[in-house]
């Protein structure tokens, strides 16, 4: 019955992996394949005149599977009339019609769009009295048993390794019950609740046994953020601190991963350990960098025995250690340039950028108004000072990341200026006392957006570009007035298309973040990639190179880097100052992620760390480095 996953790398047959996993380039394609498996099961049961019992998850991971199922219902006539569903969990306490409830989520993404019978939908009820919970949970279990158990259980995985809300410490034999939520889990949910303090501390969840009893289990994981827990779950020992690892005992389980979520698996991270295979140039560099770390040596000091003793003897078949060392050293060393726009009038054969034209038109895309300076402030500064025509395009307004208190501060400053300003201040002050209303009030959102625009202009003026070269695109997908964004559409593509066609850049810089597959950075990248596909045949695009930088969260790995731009100590300070102009994004910002360091500290730490890594590998000793990967379209 299980789908024949034809993706690269089906079951890995080494000693490392203990759970069947399949890896796809993109979560979208993976979700489509999972939806096909579910649809096949539903149809098979229909033919047999049987009910099909699905266990369903919420969270960001299954959304694209639900989208595809809805599409199949609408376009291909897939009927859900024989389907019974049981959801894994619900926050407690929680009103069913609350927008943060999993009831709301399931209707929004699936149930309202298909022909499932309402009486066949089961979601734990966050409204019941606390004194009735045990009885209620027993009934939930019995209901599952009564319909013959779950045929197909869809799961996501939390960064704590939870499945359902079975947090670390959950018992192998646990069943549906009330649980306490882990700090990491609550922190991950804070966006939807406008702050961790509003996230419920409890939930009702199916237990590990309930999940284990399902006939088929498919777990979805997307994005770099899941890579660590996926490695532990698939390759580590069964451990009650990682509930998902209990699935190692299940006879019919598949983990469906995108590239980023699989990136820490041994077969991906260090494939030379898994078996003999030809290593590509990039993989060879990866292996050598890994070997340097392992032996604590620089590249040019690695010996034949270092390779032999660390599973890399394969590399020595066609080259000597000396030749490999030199090849990889040169590959990395040649990425370093103080001329990100290309060094004029020199032989550029081994340089990351072309010398010609000496003055380039450069278009820097920044998903939020501040990613430009946070992620590539040093390079931005060099491009400007080296005389290129630099444009910045802020893709979204970033309005939801401004605190209410900041909006009020600006309004209050102006309230003394005119009667109207005073009136506006007192009206909005009242609204802002109810903190969540910021997103629903258009005036407040506009002011928040304006604040971010003006902060950006202060920073770009400081770096030295004209206001007319700064473009605020306000992509519509972002302007929903809530944390949840809509799917990008034609109008988003058109805006990006227009600005590229207007500027006709020789270089495009864009955020290449894949850490959060449903986050704004990834959506902005997806839109750009789609546009590039559409316009790549235009003559000016033949002369356009695209460079991807990494945002505040992650860094390119050394072997992935195509251009490294070093910064002097003074340039580091200048970059810091440029970031400081984004005042509302300093000190307790709204969407900081789980790293408590401020953005400027994170980026400085990262830029210094990569410089130290280069130095450890035997390159020059720079103060800090910004890195880029070329995107070929
Ligand atoms: C949701 C659930 C959770 C999520 C997990 C991952 O019903 O049971 O286990 O699957 O927290 O969430 P996302 O997919 O948002 O990363």
């Amino acid at each position: 019955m299980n789908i024949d996953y034809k993706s690269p790398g089906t079951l890995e047959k080494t000693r490392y992996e203990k759970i069947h996993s399949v890896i796809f380039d993109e979560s979208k394609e993976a979700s489509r394949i999972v939806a096909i498996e579910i649809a096949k099961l539903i149809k098979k049961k229909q033919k047999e005149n049987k009910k099909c019992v699905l266990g369903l998850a919420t969270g960001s991971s299954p959304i694209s599977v639900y989208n595809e199922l809805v599409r199949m219902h609408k376009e291909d006539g897939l009927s859900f009339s024989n389907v019974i569903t049981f959801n894994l969990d619900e926050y407690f306490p929680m009103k069913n019609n609350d927008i943060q409830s999993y009831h709301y989520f399931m209707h929004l993404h699936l149930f309202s769009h298909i022909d499932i019978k309402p009486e066949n939908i089961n979601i734990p009820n966050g409204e019941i009295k606390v004194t009735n919970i045990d009885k209620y949970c027993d009934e939930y279990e019995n209901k599952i048993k009564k319909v013959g158990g779950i045929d197909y259980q869809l799961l996501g995985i939390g960064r704590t390794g939870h499945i359902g809300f079975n947090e670390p410490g959950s018992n192998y034999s646990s069943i549906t019950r009330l649980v306490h939520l882990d700090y990491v889990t609550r922190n991950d949910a804070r966006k939807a609740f406008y702050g961790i303090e509003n996230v419920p501390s409890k939930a009702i969840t199916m237990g590990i046994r309930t999940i284990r009893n399902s006939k088929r289990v498919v777990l979805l994981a997307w994005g770099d953020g899941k890579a660590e827990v996926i490695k532990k779950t698939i390759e580590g020992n069964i451990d009650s601190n990682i509930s998902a690892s209990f699935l190692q005992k299940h006879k019919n389980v598949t983990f469906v991963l995108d590239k980023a979520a699989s990136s820490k698996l041994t077969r991906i991270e260090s494939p030379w350990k898994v078996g003999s295979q030809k290593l590509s140039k990039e993989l060879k560099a990866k292996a050598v960098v890994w070997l340097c770390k392992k032996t604590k040596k620089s590249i040019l000091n690695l010996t034949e025995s270092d390779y032999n003793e660390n599973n890399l003897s394969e590399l020595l078949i066609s080259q000597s250690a000396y030749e490999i060392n030199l090849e990889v050293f040169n590959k990395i060393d040649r990425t370093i340039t103080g001329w990100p726009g290309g060094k004029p009038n020199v032989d550029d054969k081994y340089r990351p950028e072309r010398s010609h034209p000496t003055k380039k038109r450069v278009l820097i895309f920044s998903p939020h108004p501040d990613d430009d300076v946070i992620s590539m402030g040093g390079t931005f500064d060099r491009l400007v000072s080296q005389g290129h025509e630099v444009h910045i395009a802020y893709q979204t307004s970033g309005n939801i990341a401004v605190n209410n208190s900041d909006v009020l501060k600006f309004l209050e400053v102006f309230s003394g200026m005119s009667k109207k300003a005073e009136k506006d201040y007192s009206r909005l002050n009242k609204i802002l006392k109810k903190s969540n209303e910021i997103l629903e009030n258009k005036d407040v959102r506009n002011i928040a957006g304006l604040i971010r625009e003006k902060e950006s202009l202060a920073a770009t003026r400081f770096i030295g570009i004209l206001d007319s070269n700064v473009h605020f695109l306000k992509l519509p997908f972002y302007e929903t007035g809530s944390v949840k964004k809509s799917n990008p559409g034609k109008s988003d593509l058109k805006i990006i298309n227009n600005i590229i066609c207007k500027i006709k850049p020789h270089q495009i810089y864009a955020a290449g973040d894949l850490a959060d597959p449903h986050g704004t950075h990834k959506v902005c990248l997806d839109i750009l990639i789609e546009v590039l596909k559409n316009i790549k045949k235009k003559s000016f695009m033949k002369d356009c190179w695209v460079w991807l930088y990494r945002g505040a969260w992650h860094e390119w790995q050394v072997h992935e880097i195509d251009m490294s731009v070093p910064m002097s100590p003074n340039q580091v300070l200048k970059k810091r100052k440029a970031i400081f102009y984004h005042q509302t994004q300093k000190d307790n910002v709204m969407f900081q992620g789980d790293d408590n360091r401020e953005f400027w500290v994170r980026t400085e730490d990262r830029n210094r760390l990569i410089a130290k890594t280069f130095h450890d590998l035997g390159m020059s000793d720079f103060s800090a480095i910004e890195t880029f990967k070329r995107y070929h379209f």
Side-chain angles (χ1 to χ4, degrees), residues 594-612:
D594 27 274
D595 184 338
N596 286 327
R597 290 171 302 166
E598 285 194 27
F599 289 126
W600 70 272
V601 183
R602 286 188 221 182
T603 188
E604 256 182 53
D605 286 353
R606 252 185 32 194
N607 294 164
R608 288 191 200 284
L609 182 69
I610 198 86
K612 181 178 177 313

Side-chain angles (χ1 to χ4, degrees), residues 160 162 165-170 177 179-182 185 240-241 243:
T160 59
H162 70 215
F165 274 139
N166 293 284
E167 296 289 24
S170 292
R177 68 206 186 285
V179 292
H180 268 279
L181 296 177
D182 207 84
T185 301
S240 68
N241 280 324
S243 306

Side-chain angles (χ1 to χ4, degrees), residues 413-466:
V413 168
F414 287 102
S415 65
M417 304 277 285
S418 70
K419 276 259 157 341
K420 184 179 176 310
E422 197 180 319
K423 258 185 167 173
D424 283 345
Y425 169 64
S426 69
R427 179 172 61 87
L428 293 174
N429 191 11
K430 267 184 218 141
I431 291 172
L432 288 180
K433 285 210 169 110
K434 287 167 109 197
S435 64
N436 288 354
E437 301 241 337
I438 182 167
L439 300 170
E440 280 126 47
N441 187 287
K442 217 167 164 218
D443 289 344
V444 175
R445 274 204 320 272
N446 283 343
I447 296 166
L450 272 173
I451 293 172
R452 296 213 68 181
E453 272 190 34
K454 303 306 171 203
E455 286 176 343
S456 304
L457 286 173
T460 48
R461 283 173 198 156
F462 173 68
I463 303 261
I465 64 170
L466 296 171

Side-chain angles (χ1 to χ4, degrees), residues 56-63 87-91 102 105-106 154-166 185 188 205 211 220-222 226 518:
L56 298 179
T58 53
S60 59
S61 312
I63 292 177
N87 261 81
L88 281 164
D89 41 22
E90 177 60 281
Y91 291 108
Y102 286 167
F105 176 101
M106 287 309 299
L154 196 60
L155 296 175
I157 183 169
R159 286 185 313 118
T160 59
H162 70 215
I163 44 177
F165 274 139
N166 293 284
T185 301
D188 280 349
T205 181
I211 294 170
L220 315 172
W222 323 132
K226 298 286 169 71
H518 300 280

